[in-house]
Amino acid sequence: MYRSSTMMDTTSESKRLGAVKLSRVTFRATNRDGDPLALKTPTAAQSSRGTANVKPAPSEGAPKPTETKKPGPSISLSGLLAAQRITLRLKNQAALRRKARARTPNRKPITIINEQVPPGSANPPQRFPYALAKELIEEFLTSKLRNVTYDPSTSADLTKNLCEDIKKIVRKVTPPRYKLICNMAIGSKNREDILMTSQCLWDSYSDNVTSCSFENSTMFCVAMVYAVYTE
C-alpha cells in the first residue's frame, strides 16, 4: 500500500512536471524576443488575418442609412432664351445661304430664241396688250352701268356712247398703227339667254381681240374690242 501510493504520487508529480515543462516551452516559444508585451498585443499580420473575413453583424434596431439622390440638371429661363436665339440665328444664316445659291446658279444661262414671225405676217414693234385693255374695259362698264336700269328706248344711244368711250380708254394703251373696232350689245335680263359669237379674217400674229361682260339686276352688256395692225 505504501508503494502504490508512492507511485501514484510520483505519477502525479511527473504529470505536474510535464505540465510545467510544456508551459515553459510555450513560454519560451512565445517569449522569443524577450518582449513582455508580445503576449498582450498581437502583431499587425495576426490582427489582419483575424479580422479580414469577420463582418460585424447588423443590429436589428439600428437605423438604415438613407440613400442620397443626386440632384438632376436644372434648366433656367436664360438658357432657354439663349437656345432660341441661337436657333433663330442658324435659320437666318441657312436662308441667306439658300438665297445666295439661287442668285448665282451653277448652270450656264440659257439663251431664249426670239419668237419666229410667220411668213406673210406683219411684225409690229409692240403687240396689242389685250389683258390690260380687258381690265380697263371691265372697270369702265362697272362704273357706268352699276345703277342703270334697262330701257329699250335709250339702249341704242347708250351703246353708241359707251363704244366711243371704250375706244378712247383703250387707245391710251394701244401701240401705234393699230386700228380699234368696238362692238357692244345691251339687252334685258328677263329670263332670257343670249349667245354671241364673232369670226374674223385677219393676221393671227399681229392682230388681237379682247372682250368682257357686265350685268346687273335688269340688264346685261357684252363689249368686244378688235385691234388690227395696219402697215
Side-chain angles (χ1 to χ4, degrees):
M1 294 297 291
Y2 178 77
R3 185 178 297 175
S4 60
S5 60
T6 305
M7 291 177 63
M8 290 176 62
D9 295 336
T10 307
T11 305
S12 60
E13 186 177 359
S14 63
K15 288 181 181 181
R16 285 195 300 272
L17 292 174
V20 171
K21 291 180 181 180
L22 287 174
S23 62
R24 286 180 179 177
V25 171
T26 305
F27 180 78
R28 289 177 180 176
T30 55
N31 246 354
R32 183 176 303 174
D33 297 332
D35 188 4
L37 298 176
L39 294 175
K40 295 181 180 180
T41 57
T43 59
Q46 292 176 355
S47 62
S48 62
R49 289 175 184 175
T51 60
N53 298 325
V54 178
K55 295 181 180 180
S59 59
E60 295 180 358
K64 296 182 179 180
T66 58
E67 297 179 356
T68 58
K69 296 183 179 180
K70 297 181 179 180
S74 60
I75 302 175
S76 61
L77 181 59
S78 59
L80 291 175
L81 295 176
Q84 290 179 357
R85 287 195 296 269
I86 293 172
T87 304
L88 183 60
R89 190 183 304 118
L90 293 176
K91 288 183 179 180
N92 293 335
Q93 291 177 359
L96 292 176
R97 285 195 295 268
R98 287 194 296 268
K99 289 182 180 179
R101 292 174 183 174
R103 292 175 183 173
T104 57
N106 296 326
R107 295 181 298 177
K108 295 181 180 180
I110 301 174
T111 304
I112 300 176
I113 301 175
N114 295 329
E115 187 178 1
Q116 300 295 325
V117 181
S121 298
N123 187 14
Q126 295 178 358
R127 301 180 68 180
F128 177 70
Y130 63 92
L132 179 59
K134 183 175 182 179
E135 292 179 1
L136 295 175
I137 296 170
E138 288 178 351
E139 293 178 359
F140 173 75
L141 293 179
T142 303
S143 63
K144 288 291 185 179
L145 302 177
R146 182 186 296 120
N147 299 321
V148 175
T149 304
Y150 177 74
D151 187 0
S153 60
T154 59
S155 294
D157 295 335
L158 180 62
T159 301
K160 183 179 179 181
N161 295 331
L162 290 177
C163 286
E164 294 296 330
D165 294 338
I166 288 174
K167 285 193 294 183
K168 291 178 181 179
I169 293 173
V170 177
R171 176 61 66 184
K172 296 178 181 179
V173 296
T174 303
R177 305 189 66 176
Y178 269 96
K179 184 179 180 179
L180 298 179
I181 303 171
C182 184
N183 185 13
M184 181 178 290
I186 294 177
S188 174
K189 189 178 178 182
N190 188 13
R191 298 181 181 179
E192 296 178 358
D193 295 333
I194 185 172
L195 178 63
M196 296 183 62
T197 61
S198 62
Q199 188 175 3
C200 302
L201 181 61
W202 61 6
D203 189 349
S204 60
Y205 179 78
S206 59
D207 302 337
N208 213 326
V209 63
T210 182
S211 64
C212 59
S213 61
F214 173 82
E215 62 180 13
N216 56 19
S217 59
T218 60
M219 62 181 296
F220 69 89
C221 176
V222 179
M224 292 182 292
V225 177
Y226 302 91
V228 181
Y229 184 74
T230 57
E231 292 183 340

